[in-house]
Amino acid sequence: MLNWEFAAVLLLILPLAGAFLVCRYRSRQADDVALLVAVATFIAFIFLVNALLSAARTEKLSAVWQFIPWLQVPGGLFGFMVDDIGIIMLAVVVTIGLLVVIFSAPYLSEANRDHPTTNGKGRYYCWLLLFVFSMVGLALSPNLLQMFIFWELTTICSWALISFYDDKRSTVAGYKALVLTSVGGALFALALLLMYVPTGSFEFGVLSLLTARRAGVVFLLLLIAAWAKSAQVPFFTWLPEAMAAPTPISAYLHAAAMVKAGVFMISRVVYGSYSTLTGLRAQYDIGIATITLTGHSLGLVVAFAAVITMLVGLYFYFSQDDLKRLLAYSTITHLGYILFGLGLAIAGVWLGFQAAMIHLLAHGIAKTLLFLGVGSIAFATGSRSISALRGLAMRMPTTAFCFSVGVFTLIGVPPLACFWSKFFLLAATIKLGGLAALLLVLCFTGEAALAFYWFLRVKQRILLEDAPTNTQESPAAMIGVLITLAILCLIGIGFILPFLPLVP
Amino acid sequence: MHPVAPAAYIINLLIAGAVIAYGLSSWRKLCGWFSVAVIAIALMLALHLAVTVAADNAPLVAVSWQLPVLGAALTYYVDGLSALLTALVLLLGLLCAVYSIHYLEHVASSGLVGFYCLLLLFLAGMCGVLCIQDWLFFLVAWEFMSLPAYMLIVFEKQRPEALRAGLKYFIMTHVGNVGLFIGVLILYKQTGPAGTFAFGAISSALGGLVSTRPALACLVLGLMALGFMTKAGIFPMGDWLPDAHPAAPSPVSALLSGTMIKLGAYGIMRVFLWMLVAAGAPGSWFLGWGIVLASFGALSAFIGSAAAVKENDAKRLLAYSSIGQIGYIILALGICVAFVKINPTISALAFVAGLLHIIADAFHKALLFLTTGSVLYRTGTRDLNELGDLIHRMPATAVAAVVGMLSVAGIPLTGAFVSKWLLLQSALFGGRESAVFAAYTVVALFASVLALAYGLKLVAATFLGQPSRLVCELEPREVPAMMLLPQWALAALCLLVGLFPAAALATCGLAAPQILAAGAAQATAGTNALSVTTSLGPMVAGSFAPLWVLALFGLMLLTCWGISRAGRAPIRQVEGWACGEVLDPEQLRYKASAYFWVFTQHFANVYPKVRVPKLRVRQTTPPLLDVDRWAFGPVGRLCNKIAAALSALHTGLPQTYMLWQSIGAGLILLILWLVWRSS
């Protein structure tokens, strides 16, 4: 059996090496090399999960080394840390990365009626694998400094991949994404300095060692960085533009993985301060409210900002005609859900944290399914316009079925995956109590209900309403990926609930 | 505590059947018969379960799996009421599945993929609703029932009106569901810091609210009642029914009206007769909520029946009829709730009446939908104006339809007669306590007259009178035996319940809640196998022996026949006379729209129709949300300007750069000198 450090190193090295390897190849060979690398990465991930499962629950899987003599921090500077929430993020990154690589091979072809091209496959896979590398590094980070480095790497990969088609629109969109997320990155760096100066440490839980005021400022800076990365109000404008990227990229970077980095960082901070402060397995339902300095009010700030994002995102649903832009706004609101849960956790209801983690996983799968479904539709019809597409269920039954599963999962039909997370969120809000919670519940349920209605209507329109269309089902590899994701959505119950007891 | 949950077998069997049926959907007949077999086995299990529960006289409880984070556990709880209604649901499901095998040939759906799969899931959802007693999983099952129903309503999805109707159903039912969710979550919050969804704990949380915060408790009860009454189709939330029924295939309509809307009434029972009783609410609460429920019920019974009279679309007519009949049921439950604490005998009588009406209405409403479906299958129309004289072409269907219509109207010898009779008794005697119930007696009686009117209209316009042009052209034949069989079975059930009401009453009595069990026994004391005698306290309220009535009816019919035979009156067949003008026979025919014309013109809009609103949204971004324009854009331009200004420093002349360097070097030297001076 491999020991876990080796698996973690492999997980990090394989995509990096693959990225440099694959850029030498063209078309078919590039597909094969990328697939090989993705599969190998996935196997390394399986080993890591196995190691985590076989380790005792109290054991901490972390290995950190000092690399820079003049930057001594307690505990070490760079290394690996594997725990429950890191594994959730890795599961999204590695699994969906593999599926996206499989999907990309037939998608980037001359047969694609949306974007018939095979140019630059080597470049495409190179950036994609580099992105996998950066996300893995981010998920394995033992402290905020390493996370920051990989965070910036993902921004660069995102810029390169959005601009992949090299036309004016995508170049501008890539530049916009780069600028907006870099502003967030700068604030992240500032927060790092502010926390390093008094404590000399970059640990996740370092917030609790600061004075109340400084901790509040640092947290707000981190929060703004996360808002920019996760496309929250007011920084959301780059994400709809980023839909100029190839669809598998939109699915992976701008729904499942990269935009999750922001919420992942916040959840790390919440989790970290929680475990540092209590230092022990505290009672189940006391969050950090009673302990952290600014606790309650900051949590409500996070939650209300998230609700505003949800409502703004919802507003934009109704005026979208491009399916991908609709999904982008949906991504914005769903990242709002995750931050909402984290806000509740900070305000004192730990259930919110669990809800956020479940939603991170469930939304990653469901949204990838929807994006790839749109990719399959666009591949076959050449259109992504809601007003133009009709009656796809007759011509592309499997794609239509998978797309429906995705829609049902996303809007939270019980007992599919997102139902559980939304229900947890609602239960957590109600547990919070008070007038603020009442307001949050009303906004949240209102948003969920209207989104429910709208997505169902869109689905009904493009899939069911009858119209003869001259299309055929997409290639088998793409369909296979869609079916895999649909199965993951359908078995959501068994897939997600085991992760539940996320108590530090 | 039972080791395994028999109810779980039923639900899992149906779900597994659904998966296999999906796989079999290419072979339509095989898939149909397979589903029939699955439902038949489930029905056997349900009957066995019902017999076990009745024999033990105690509910079966089993916990299947738990979700400790939320304090929820999948608890199967089967008492008399659950077992009875589960068996009813599966019985109707079986008959509708048999009917569907031939009926689906006429449904013009592009693919029949999934009909039986959805049907089985729908039945599984309904069984789940009936057998699960944990609010979280109850709500999951509730949704599990609502969604396949939606898919079945929009089954003929190439018809735009089906999609619109489905959307309306979906929105209205989910508005109700949200109310239900919020009500449950408010109670969940009251169950303590850990929180649990168990029925018992939620009931005691409600009890706590009743004594400490009555306004909130009223809100919770109101939200839950709203949720269940929306599903039940009570006026004014039942507006989805008249649109959904014409859209759905007929066997689905039969199941929707026959069983699904009844589960709304089941929910009302569980909330007001189980939860509120366990919560220990005072008598005034029961009286108040009973009057509220009874008022909605009476209003619904009247308006639904009145709206049905003016309808010319057979399925819309039946949909309004469902609204009227569910109104009776809710009226009965309202009386039952009102008198739970004051007079258990009246309360028990009303409960039995309501439950029996659930059963009777399930039978005759399903029967009428199936006969309408048969007519639709052969003629392709639901418009009563285009039909006529089908009795000579489809006699077997016609006989079944007549039985159904008599039962809807509550004619003696049918099941609905007994239930309405008991309902009127309980309302009348309840009127002594509170005059409002006496008024509802009159409303209910009048609604019965309306029910007779629309029943007559439906049957007469379809099966009697002159044949229409459409009928003459098509010359429809009788439907296949497999479609006739369910209709006749339902007709027989309608009559069986009516002829032997004592057995049905005893069964309903077993399903009564604990608090009413004694009252139920007393209310129908003196009943024997052949006749029903009701008593309220010491006095006998009424007595009814159907077999005697049957004998008298027979005698009367025989006499009539004898007189007509003895008189030998000749029957003249002549053409209709239009004052000498030559008119199209179609214009001379007495059509459905002419029935009760004087009445219907006054009641044309008795049931207000709601349209699904079309969402119109501006396509432009509002200025406030266009962050790019007012924030990022100006900032970006400002940065560009600064950069341009700075780049002006780059003149390209070596002399300038030398000058900069010299100034810089001078500054550094100055700083060094200052540092050296200070140290």
Side-chain angles (χ1 to χ4, degrees), chain B residues 184-203:
Chain B
V184 170
L185 282 174
I186 291 175
L187 292 180
Y188 170 67
K189 193 182 171 234
Q190 303 295 326
T191 53
T196 168
F197 283 101
F199 258 53
I202 292 274
S203 300

Side-chain angles (χ1 to χ4, degrees), chain A residues 176 234-237 284 315-316 318-319 394 413-414 420 423-424 426 430-431 452-453 456 460 464-465 500, chain B residues 67 69-70 110 136 143 147 150 157 163 170 181 185 189 193-194 615 617-619 621-622 627-628 632:
Chain A
K176 189 172 176 183
F235 304 102
F236 63 97
T237 53
Y284 199 63
Y315 180 87
F316 281 102
F318 304 121
S319 50
M394 330 291 166
V413 169
W420 295 104
F423 193 84
F424 274 39
L426 208 54
I430 286 180
K431 270 193 177 172
F452 202 121
Y453 162 73
L456 214 67
Q460 184 165 308
L464 299 184
E465 273 179 26
L500 277 186
Chain B
L67 191 60
V69 190
L70 288 176
S110 42
L136 177 62
E143 198 60 30
L147 274 180
Y150 161 73
K157 44 186 173 275
L163 293 180
F170 199 87
F181 260 79
L185 282 174
K189 193 182 171 234
L615 271 181
V617 190
R618 282 188 305 173
Q619 295 283 317
T621 315
V627 192
D628 281 344
F632 301 142

Side-chain angles (χ1 to χ4, degrees), chain A residues 77-100:
Chain A
L77 204 55
F78 298 115
F80 307 107
M81 185 172 83
V82 187
D83 63 355
D84 291 1
I85 55 176
I87 275 289
I88 290 181
M89 193 69 213
L90 278 179
V92 172
V93 170
V94 177
T95 319
I96 294 180
L98 172 64
L99 292 173
V100 161

